[in-house]
Amino acid sequence: MSNWDVEKIRRDFPVLSQKVNGNPLVYLDNAASSQVPNIVIERGSEYLKNEHSNIHRGVHYLSQKATTAYEGAREKVKRFINARDVKECIFVRGCTEGINLVAYGYGRKFVGEGDEIIISAMEHHANIVPWQMLAEEKGCVLRVIPMNQRGELIIDEYEAMLNERTKFVSIVHISNALGTLNPVKQMIESAHKFGVPVLVDAAQSVPHSIIDVQDLDCDFLTFSGHKMFAPTGSGVLYGKQELLETMNPFMGGGDMIRTVTFEKTTYAGLPNKFEAGTPAIASNIGLGAAIDYLNSIDRQSAIAYEHELVEYATEKLSAIEGVKLIGTAREKASVVSFTIENVHPHDIGTILDQQGIAVRAGHHCAQPVMQFFQVPATARASFAFYNTREEVDVLADAVQKVIEVFA
Ligand code: C6P
């Protein structure tokens, strides 16, 4: 294993040192929500203790402090993903809101009857349903890039799908159900040959890879704070300025306007145009602190370490008779999904929980993936850089016991 000092890292995450059902907590549900380090907890509580106020509205001391902290977090986001300008970084409640914002603000304006939108076979519901809603309203067509039995997208079929009717491509970077890492840079390049904008669902990739929106040349990219060591309610939609400027606002209300009369409203400039109402101020300041945390660790080593953990877990689980891995892509990150013959994944989840092991059991909000692999659900262990090799051993032993219980 790499010389990643996991014990030192674990001390930054107080939640990890507790016992669950009499056993040390083994937290392997990071794809759902990752844990929060002290620096984020302390920043959030500092805001609540000493700075709590509304932003952009008050001339008073507290409001100015809160505004400075909130806009400071936006600046951190900009540097973290290498956006050109803070105007391109919209705070949203999470990835779901980011995608809905684009389907509404871009889709409803620029996509019409007979136009085509491309998504993939491994999308989270958040990257299916908003486009279906658009398709129903506008009469456009949703096309789906197929995948193979390993859970890898068939890129040749994607290339063949692009044509002059294609108006938008929206694809997941790392699948939450399978762990597949998709070649999004190449896919963006192909779409751009047809002048088609691309949104990247980076919910699972921001915590497990280094994102550079200029290098990817994506048109939109969105992620949730709670999967990258920040509180729930925080998140980001990145969009190229020229596209965001042409789009309709998503929600109307306070803070997104320039002038309002009963006859007409004019909108604020970016990013405010897309941030109606009072946002999740504490959570987004926490997101800024999570970025500080990620910048303080050696991310390349963290990513390499996580990769080794996933490989080790894959090796240990696939060696157990009766276990079937769902998602065996050659390029993978963070996620190991599996089923056990004759055992419902919910039972796996419950028995593991009795031993203090947190995994997710279910369809992972990716029902079409379950349909493709003809399973009702899977159990999913998802890793972060604070997990250990010993925890993988505990998981594998517990899975072995599940099999014995149901034998
Ligand atoms: N996946 C999981 O357990 P929100 O809920 O808006 O923060 O993120 C939605 C979302 C979108 N895309 C991908 C690839 C995701 O993984 C998720 C959230 C969680 O897998 C909860 S369903």
Side-chain angles (χ1 to χ4, degrees), residues 35 74 98 152 157 189 196 214 218 221-222 224 228 234 407:
Q35 295 302 343
R74 197 190 307 276
E152 294 164 333
E157 300 227 12
E189 210 178 302
V196 175
Q214 292 192 57
C218 52
L221 180 138
T222 182
S224 303
M228 53 163 294
S234 62

Side-chain angles (χ1 to χ4, degrees), residues 29 31-33 93-97 99 124 126-127 172 174-177 201 203-204 224 226-227 360 364-365 380:
D29 197 17
S33 277
R93 274 184 306 132
C95 188
T96 303
E97 185 178 321
I99 298 169
H124 185 280
N127 201 23
V172 69
I174 294 178
S175 155
N176 68 316
D201 170 352
Q204 300 295 343
S224 303
H226 68 100
K227 297 183 198 291
R360 185 169 170 192
H364 315 295
C365 302
R380 181 190 68 183

Side-chain angles (χ1 to χ4, degrees), residues 25 120 202 232 271 276 353 398:
L25 168 66
S120 86
T232 52
D353 178 57

Side-chain angles (χ1 to χ4, degrees), residues 95-125:
C95 188
T96 303
E97 185 178 321
I99 298 169
N100 275 277
L101 191 160
V102 176
Y104 190 93
Y106 185 92
R108 275 168 186 72
K109 189 161 177 189
F110 296 111
V111 181
E113 196 174 344
D115 289 341
E116 295 179 2
I117 294 169
I118 299 180
I119 58 171
S120 86
M122 62 178 76
E123 299 306 327
H124 185 280
H125 298 163

